[in-house]
Amino acid sequence: MFLLQSIFLFLFGLFVGTFGTMLGVGGGFLHVPFLLLLFNFSPQDAIGTSIGIIFINTLTGSIIYYHQKRMDFSL
């Protein structure tokens, strides 16, 4: 059960991360309720996990945009 749950969480995180990074919204509005309602996280743990995930998504998106030369550093 633990392996199946881990795979499901990974795929959900990948989907929300991609969706959030493309739209520029982060994805916390999807992560937190999901973790609270389906996995019984405490509010503090759900928010902390969401912040960590959003940080990784933002960093990854920034690196990709940098390599695609979509960043204007003169601004």
Side-chain angles (χ1 to χ4, degrees), residues 1-57:
M1 181 66 184
F2 180 73
L3 180 63
L4 184 61
Q5 185 178 9
S6 298
I7 291 170
F8 180 71
L9 283 171
F10 175 78
L11 292 175
F12 178 76
L14 187 65
F15 169 74
V16 172
T18 302
F19 179 73
T21 303
M22 285 179 13
L23 294 180
V25 295
F29 68 97
L30 295 172
H31 283 134
V32 174
F34 178 79
L35 293 173
L36 287 172
L37 297 174
L38 294 180
F39 289 95
N40 297 322
F41 273 47
S42 69
Q44 295 85 358
D45 289 340
I47 292 169
T49 302
S50 179
I51 289 172
I53 292 168
I54 291 169
F55 172 75
I56 293 169
N57 292 340

